[in-house]
Amino acid sequence: MGWFKRDKEGITTSTEEKKETPEGLWHKCPKCKVISSIEDHVNNYYVCGNCGHHNRINAREYFSILFDNGKYKELDKGLKSGDPLNFTDTKKYKDRYADAVKKTKINEAITTGTGKLDGHEVVIACMNFNFIGGSMGSVVGEKIARGLDLALKKELPFIMISKSGGARMMEAAFSLMQMAKTSAKIALMRENGLPYISVLTDPTTGGVTASFAMLGDINIAEPGALIGFAGPRVVKETIGKDLPEGFQTSEFLLEHGFLDFIVERKNMKSKLSQFLRMVKKSKS
Amino acid sequence: MDYLDFEKPIQELEEQVAKARLIAEESNVDMTKTIKELERQIKTTRKKTYEDLTSWQRVQLSRHPQRPYTLAYIKSMTGGDFLELHGDRQVRDDKAMVGGWGMLDGQSVMFIGQQKGVNTKMRQFRNFGMSNPEGYRKALRLMKMAEKFNRPVVTLIDTPGAFPGLEAEERGQGEAIARNLMEMAVLKVPIICIVIGEGASGGALGIGVGDKVLMLENTWYSVISPESCSSILWRNWDHKEEAAEALKLTAKDMLSNKLIDGIIPEPLGGAHHDPEGMFKTVKTEILKQLDKLQTKDPQKRIEARIKKFSDMGSYA
């Protein structure tokens, strides 16, 4: 018998005893697996220096990239879901929600803030994908609506950074109606001649794509993002065939006419600023 | 008539009546008493069965193969004075979304709705009531025409969802629905939306932003079908009944959550038991709502519409 032969099968360490590798030193690109220091990764806007893969980041990181000196005022920070349906599947929604808050240390799948972008005063809403898949429930809809209300009141441009699996099932029809709510407010931005910019990032699907993410004066996306209405698995099941390469990527959407341009994260701020400069209300 | 699983007791009794009638006819035996008794039983059983339906049973009724669909409503309500219009002017005519001008008691109305097929061949032709982007764009074109001629819009919703196909994605299913939500919010004419069957998610909402949103008694409206909800949250389809309950998707639930404006009662056993009666009820309701909506100032009407949807949500 060999000395190194396993006599016990599989991993026997329980989750509680599992030793976590300390975070904060190295980043391994999920796409090309090349390792870089966290410092380099952050300085490179959380984009892989080797393959250009745009890592998924949250509002906190986007805000530090977009707002001048990373300074902004957060809006409606404490807003939390009311669990209107008292929803339970394999787990109570209340518990799922509390776990998400605890795990991510953020309150919801969206953060909204106001501040300056290259000197332009703006409102930015950005989704947090790690909070229940960035799903849209009442709070996501309400925070966008309130952000838009502020933009309407103070005549500011609104920038929406989407990153979501779609509507949040645990709030069922309440989630669905957020699509109507946000779209209605965006109509008011149009009626008032105020810019509404949609930035689509990986991934943007479902009810988010079918509402505020597709309604920008300009729709722009980061490279290689998954963007679609139905998820790729559902489409594959529907047509019963493998999907063509590059299906539902940013590049695919640009080609089919649903994006104005694709922008690398490092250039996002300057592109947004350039657009805002072009459409700024002329002083009369 | 097709019977659903929970309607089996009624089916058995009705079969017995048929048998009794046959005996009476063939052998000249007087069966009137038996038939009368059976019919009394049918009546009480029906009442008991339909009085307290579960959410899942209502979902089943909403999909009943004999349930009347959009065009049947329109044809009956307009007495055949209906001019169907086709095409989105861009790609093609979507057969799952129908629409056109109809005369409703002396006033012209723009009707729009998803259409399901009445038999296997037609179901395929209608793509099972699942619209492609061109369907939503056709709907928007017709709404804009209604706005131009200052006539109200009535939408009839009955869809298992927007079509999740490859070409639908290429042509921007998400964008098409999104645009309708935005445009409907600020359309200058009255909009009445009625869920007459299935109201599945964005596919339904894509023609569902209105001043009055109503549901027939045995319909459902939610963000996802109970089957898909079950498969995502429970990882299989076996929990569809629990999912239907959890989603609070019935007309009653939707009204109590203030997500719709009203419920239209159906004939006992569902719309398919008395289609003509159903059409009449719906027509009366539309006329009643139009009367109220048309007296309002368009700007006020839009503001109220936006406010209604803005108030939807639950947060603390």
Side-chain angles (χ1 to χ4, degrees), chain A residues 199-262:
Chain A
V199 181
L200 297 91
T201 69
D202 184 60
T204 299
T205 59
V208 168
T209 306
S211 60
F212 54 82
M214 273 294 161
L215 294 174
D217 295 312
I218 54 168
N219 297 331
I220 63 180
E222 289 184 343
L226 169 74
I227 304 166
F229 173 64
R233 214 191 49 205
V234 177
V235 179
K236 196 179 156 186
E237 277 168 19
T238 307
I239 62 169
K241 278 190 290 201
D242 281 338
L243 300 169
E245 193 157 334
F247 182 65
Q248 293 184 320
T249 57
S250 309
E251 294 72 18
F252 176 92
L253 266 91
L254 180 70
E255 196 52 39
H256 284 91
F258 292 97
L259 295 178
D260 288 279
F261 53 85
I262 293 171

Side-chain angles (χ1 to χ4, degrees), chain B residues 271-286:
Chain B
H272 56 290
H273 278 272
D274 177 16
E276 282 307 321
M278 188 75 253
F279 302 150
K280 230 171 158 180
T281 316
V282 171
K283 181 176 175 175
T284 313
E285 185 65 31
I286 293 173

